[in-house]
Amino acid sequence: MARGFRQKIRQKNTENSGFGSNAPSGRFINKDGLPNVKRRGVNVFNRLSWYHTMLNLSSFRFLSYLVIAYIVINLGFAFIYYLIGVEHLTGIDKSDPLNEFVDVFFFSSQTFTTVGYGRIAPVGFAASLVATFEAFLGLLTFAIATGLFYGRFSRPRAYLKFSENMVLAPFQGSTALMFRLAPYKNNALTDAEVIVSAAIEVIENGVPKSNFYRLETQMSKINTLALNWTIVHKIDENSPFYGFTENDFKTTDIEIIVQLRAFDEVFSNTVVQRTSYTSNEIVYGAKFTPMYYPSKDNLTTVLNLDKINEYQKAELPVAEEVQL
Amino acid sequence: MARGFRQKIRQKNTENSGFGSNAPSGRFINKDGLPNVKRRGVNVFNRLSWYHTMLNLSSFRFLSYLVIAYIVINLGFAFIYYLIGVEHLTGIDKSDPLNEFVDVFFFSSQTFTTVGYGRIAPVGFAASLVATFEAFLGLLTFAIATGLFYGRFSRPRAYLKFSENMVLAPFQGSTALMFRLAPYKNNALTDAEVIVSAAIEVIENGVPKSNFYRLETQMSKINTLALNWTIVHKIDENSPFYGFTENDFKTTDIEIIVQLRAFDEVFSNTVVQRTSYTSNEIVYGAKFTPMYYPSKDNLTTVLNLDKINEYQKAELPVAEEVQL
Amino acid sequence: MARGFRQKIRQKNTENSGFGSNAPSGRFINKDGLPNVKRRGVNVFNRLSWYHTMLNLSSFRFLSYLVIAYIVINLGFAFIYYLIGVEHLTGIDKSDPLNEFVDVFFFSSQTFTTVGYGRIAPVGFAASLVATFEAFLGLLTFAIATGLFYGRFSRPRAYLKFSENMVLAPFQGSTALMFRLAPYKNNALTDAEVIVSAAIEVIENGVPKSNFYRLETQMSKINTLALNWTIVHKIDENSPFYGFTENDFKTTDIEIIVQLRAFDEVFSNTVVQRTSYTSNEIVYGAKFTPMYYPSKDNLTTVLNLDKINEYQKAELPVAEEVQL
Amino acid sequence: MARGFRQKIRQKNTENSGFGSNAPSGRFINKDGLPNVKRRGVNVFNRLSWYHTMLNLSSFRFLSYLVIAYIVINLGFAFIYYLIGVEHLTGIDKSDPLNEFVDVFFFSSQTFTTVGYGRIAPVGFAASLVATFEAFLGLLTFAIATGLFYGRFSRPRAYLKFSENMVLAPFQGSTALMFRLAPYKNNALTDAEVIVSAAIEVIENGVPKSNFYRLETQMSKINTLALNWTIVHKIDENSPFYGFTENDFKTTDIEIIVQLRAFDEVFSNTVVQRTSYTSNEIVYGAKFTPMYYPSKDNLTTVLNLDKINEYQKAELPVAEEVQL
């Protein structure tokens, strides 16, 4: 990872990132905003919050897990009823063992879901006891499923799309690092605030080390996040990138870490979304093209989300060589 | 939209509104507080948060959708059972095909709701399997419905009524823009805070452009939002409307954007409500009439919500011509 | 209400209370912390948030309403089934009309709760259709009940007991208004903050009028609200009560409004509780007695909540007559 | 508890801890972060929030309570049905009283869970009425269980592991008190903030008394709590421990109280965790060993949670005797 870096950064107040400065191993924040850290030790059950896990599953996987659990539980109970003996259940088709098992499986599912048609019903003590327990378990399971469903869809999320690349664009006679973001769902975000940091690898005493810098942006708060928002970090003397050439950007290990925080009016809650950009995601000499325009009747504004990654080439002003 | 505007506004610190300043297309914030923006691109499923959508439906539409979904799902399953064959269900009235279909429809509903009387019950493998799946789906559906109901009625909301109009009223020897609001439900709001902004269309180099200004108010925070609250923006030298004549108010594209934030003690959560007023909703030379009075026994205060829009004509002081 | 008041209060920065200053009608905040305001206008359904209402009911009334609703709904459906005709239900005891009605009532309840034993089951189209709808309604009702139960017991509350009286106690050679509060449940409150205001009635130009003052307290924030907390407002030159005699306290309309805000670690939420004290709840010349002591093994502290209202007489220093 | 303490602490601004300064009885905050206070008075039902209690139970105990409640309720209803008479239930095995009771027990469970096979079903008025009520109670019980499950697993928690000991380690030519913490689950904490206080017992006029001090730390906020975090309180002239010798640390009653507050992105909520360290948990002359390292492929960082308590001996600089 440690590519050559010309020691251009003057000492600035570095940030408390929560990442140690030694042993930088790959990026700090993954593209999806989670820290690039693996945990070891403790045992896996203590290390995982199953609730966080269930909330982060895709809908498809979540539903698949529910269906699989339903089938496995019913197979398990069917097996128990079968061991107890089909003679303790009324209405079983006893023509052959397979039919018997099929019928106890369906009896199990009718008990677990509390449908209980009664065409098949328990008569002995053992079968009745198991059925009593299974119905109880069924209800608790659906109680948990109810909570998980609610937890999943009521989970406050920002629903933001970030541009895939950062661009180095001309800005006010100088250059600026820019990226943009837009809410892509019918949510209403207000009081949006962005925090941008940079992790830059430097060589200190021959050892690679990551320094963290807070990047100042032209606007760091807006009232309403209704359209897209282009965040602009002007590269002036307060920027750690002051004096960087195109080659510096390409040969230095840079990671730009972005955190956006806003208030969602439907959830009435603060939502946070993070992402990060690495050196190879920075486009040198480009600017974003507009992504919103007036509607035909001129009464509303249209935001085209497919254009969020669109940029065009742009000439950068010649950077004066900085004296260090 | 761009009506003539006399360039009276002196340069002030404009606000970061989150709306671009070009291409103003209709109002920025709709009367209901949502931004006047349409999103395109992505596909419609990714662009809609169905949870936000379900929470914003009216009660009537929400219940209608539930009933329709219930009928459609049962029709679908009835069709499947019918295809499998009514001979795989006990207790079906086989007098004619319509009666058969009616009975499988009711069997389906008895399975989906897990009532499962058992007068009609599945006997074969295929019908039992479908019923097993339907009962499972039924429970998951009601799990989701439970979450939606809870999400809908536990959603923190401010329940504020805003006056339909703003008035330009005499105030402390000068004039002031006023509107008022009142909580109309039995909720208890504290620490209320209001933020008022104005979007004013100006012509710069022949191109219409919207500038955003924060409007200062006489009182922007109150401890308890128990009665109505009249928000007063005095038009003095700090106001972008300083020197505006009645004609200016009528011929300039103005939008006043209001955001109220408070703490609801029942939800124990921050609630936010927004609205906006446009030029044609501003009444020149009027003042609100009181809307609360002591009860007959003089032991409590009565707030009459029907009077929130009541105002009476009021003479404004003659505005001195402002030198620009 | 307007008792004689000697105009001793010097002009201070009054507070934005959210209550108008005219027409004070009874106390502002009731003992339970809710504003003493009645709302009129709109219609009653729009004026009540039924969710807020259900959350504020006592457990007994809440459960009673559920039971009553259950009985009424079943009676209604029983009536419908009875009108359709008992011949459309199997297993009805037709010995006499009362028995018939009793049986359709129980069929209704077995459908609404989705028990569906099947001893009584619908056979015709009309009865089946109504049962289909009733089972659906039953599930939705229990979905709503689930949400209400959760809303009720997960509602963040501070569970604070306030002393019934305020005392005017000797304090640092002067006097101070004191009251105390203690958490009475096994909740853990941190970062507690108290805000104390006073509404004092004054006569301006012959008209009674309420002024609001923020009362400064010796300590307004504490880290952990584990024991009781005595809040002390010293009556010095910054207090609106500076120079008040015992008679002034007794003859002036005073209302002390208290708001406590803390963070509950189980709910992970901010909780707020309010109360108010009026003139007749202020005890002149008294001090609170301690309410916590070490346990016998000296390893823990015991807080006796029954002592929260205990005070003893205490001599106050002679107040010097204040020059106004 | 009151061991000899040499009066070395110079007067500093003490903190508002919420604990009284008299009668220190054992530690203030237990290791699990709850205050070491017992409440008396009121009655036990008013003193306990059963919801807080249910949320704090271990999973095993919580499930056990549910199972026990299920059995007890069914036994109770079985007893009622038995008293009413088994002749009011169809399908009962009347071979002997025990079998009868077993069958009414299972009927009860089939009613409570709303399975309602119907093999056993009520026929008389009394039995039907009880069953009507039991099914209703069953649904309400599962409604409450649903809420409790959701409340339990959606409860925002920090999931932090603290090191068992504090160490007194060499730091920047001086010494520092250090402890460390790490998130041990797959949660993502941001904007973490730590507050460290010390309760130190002093003898004033021969009476032991606890003073509270806020301890300044080198870094009190970090952006991302992804790795472990070592919190460092440097013992310089601003520290209440300035000039303490090893013997002072061993013979003085010290309690270090730690509160960490962070934002969890999955819960979108603030989470808080507290703990405390007492004198005997402070290791004199030691430093923590690193607990994270690069992965083999050098692309990620591995955090080994089992190493959180690991430290090694470290020589401390000789503390100069402080003049008091």
Side-chain angles (χ1 to χ4, degrees), chain B residues 219-240:
Chain B
M219 226 197 267
S220 68
K221 288 189 191 190
I222 56 174
N223 293 345
T224 309
L225 189 48
L227 297 174
N228 62 304
W229 184 16
T230 303
I231 286 121
V232 174
H233 166 67
K234 190 177 176 183
I235 300 185
D236 57 14
E237 53 278 10
N238 297 313
S239 166

Side-chain angles (χ1 to χ4, degrees), chain D residues 65 67 82 84-85 97 99 115 117 125-126 140 149 217 234 239 245 269 287 290 292 296 318:
Chain D
Y65 284 180
V67 169
Y82 194 78
I84 289 170
N99 281 355
V115 162
Y117 298 115
F125 179 79
L140 295 193
F149 270 109
T217 55
K234 190 177 176 182
S239 167
T245 62
N269 209 335
K287 63 178 183 184
Y292 66 91
K296 275 176 195 158
V318 181

Side-chain angles (χ1 to χ4, degrees), chain C residues 23 38 42 56 70 73-74 92-93 96 105 122 127 137 145 167 177 181 210 222 239 247 256 261 275 296-297 317:
Chain C
K38 280 189 191 138
V42 201
N56 282 325
Y70 179 56
I73 290 171
N74 278 323
I92 293 285
D93 174 358
D96 68 70
F105 177 82
L137 186 73
V167 297
L177 261 179
L181 55 89
S210 279
I222 56 174
S239 167
N247 195 48
I256 312 283
R261 183 180 281 260
T275 192
K296 275 175 195 157
D297 58 8

Side-chain angles (χ1 to χ4, degrees), chain D residues 118-189:
Chain D
R119 193 183 65 74
I120 314 174
V123 279
F125 179 79
S128 293
L129 189 69
V130 174
T132 287
F133 177 68
E134 187 181 10
F136 180 67
L137 187 72
L139 284 172
L140 295 193
T141 305
F142 286 105
I144 293 172
T146 301
L148 285 180
F149 270 109
Y150 180 68
R152 281 176 64 88
F153 51 66
S154 75
R155 176 186 164 190
R157 271 188 290 188
Y159 297 121
L160 294 176
K161 244 178 135 66
F162 287 92
S163 62
E164 277 170 17
N165 295 294
M166 287 193 128
V167 297
L168 262 160
F171 180 75
Q172 295 179 352
S174 170
T175 51
L177 261 178
M178 297 182 185
F179 65 97
R180 64 183 176 181
L181 56 88
Y184 64 94
K185 293 227 172 183
N186 53 337
N187 50 347
L189 300 178

Side-chain angles (χ1 to χ4, degrees), chain B residues 117 185-186 191 299-300 303, chain C residues 36 38-40 111 261:
Chain B
Y117 299 113
K185 293 228 175 184
N186 54 337
D191 299 310
L299 286 176
T300 191
L303 180 69
Chain C
N36 182 21
K38 280 189 191 138
R39 297 205 174 88
R40 290 288 166 271
T111 300
R261 183 180 281 260

Side-chain angles (χ1 to χ4, degrees), chain A residues 68-277:
Chain A
I68 290 167
Y70 179 56
I71 293 170
V72 167
I73 289 171
N74 278 324
L75 281 175
F77 274 101
F79 197 68
I80 294 172
Y81 292 120
Y82 193 79
L83 286 184
I84 289 170
V86 292
E87 63 277 15
H88 292 101
L89 297 171
T90 62
I92 293 285
D93 172 0
K94 295 179 184 162
S95 57
D96 67 70
L98 181 64
N99 281 354
E100 284 178 4
F101 190 81
V102 163
D103 262 16
V104 292
F105 176 83
F106 289 132
F107 167 69
S108 165
S109 74
Q110 290 160 19
T111 301
F112 190 74
T113 57
T114 78
V115 162
Y117 299 114
R119 194 183 66 73
I120 314 174
V123 278
F125 179 78
S128 294
L129 189 69
V130 174
T132 287
F133 178 70
E134 187 181 11
F136 179 68
L137 187 73
L139 284 172
L140 295 193
T141 304
F142 286 105
I144 294 172
T146 301
L148 286 179
F149 271 110
Y150 181 68
R152 281 175 65 88
F153 52 66
S154 74
R155 176 187 165 191
R157 271 189 288 189
Y159 297 121
L160 293 176
K161 244 179 136 65
F162 287 92
S163 62
E164 277 171 18
N165 295 294
M166 286 193 129
V167 297
L168 262 159
F171 180 76
Q172 295 179 352
S174 171
T175 52
L177 261 178
M178 298 183 187
F179 64 97
R180 64 182 175 181
L181 54 88
Y184 65 94
K185 292 226 174 185
N186 54 336
N187 50 347
L189 300 177
T190 53
D191 298 310
E193 189 179 352
V194 76
I195 296 172
V196 186
S197 307
I200 307 178
E201 196 178 271
V202 295
I203 314 285
E204 272 188 16
N205 312 322
V207 181
K209 178 175 179 305
S210 278
N211 279 341
F212 286 84
Y213 304 88
R214 175 68 58 99
L215 302 188
E216 278 166 38
T217 56
Q218 290 303 103
M219 225 198 269
S220 67
K221 288 189 190 189
I222 56 173
N223 292 346
T224 309
L225 189 48
L227 297 173
N228 61 304
W229 185 15
T230 302
I231 285 120
V232 175
H233 166 66
K234 189 176 175 182
I235 299 184
D236 56 15
E237 53 278 11
N238 296 312
S239 167
F241 301 116
Y242 190 51
F244 267 46
T245 62
E246 181 165 5
N247 196 46
D248 289 337
F249 275 109
K250 290 195 172 137
T251 57
T252 312
D253 260 0
I254 297 169
E255 183 177 346
I256 313 283
I257 296 167
V258 178
Q259 177 177 307
L260 187 128
R261 182 180 281 260
F263 186 83
D264 180 292
E265 294 187 4
V266 169
F267 294 125
S268 274
N269 209 334
T270 298
V271 290
V272 167
Q273 193 167 329
R274 291 191 295 174
T275 192
S276 92
Y277 296 91

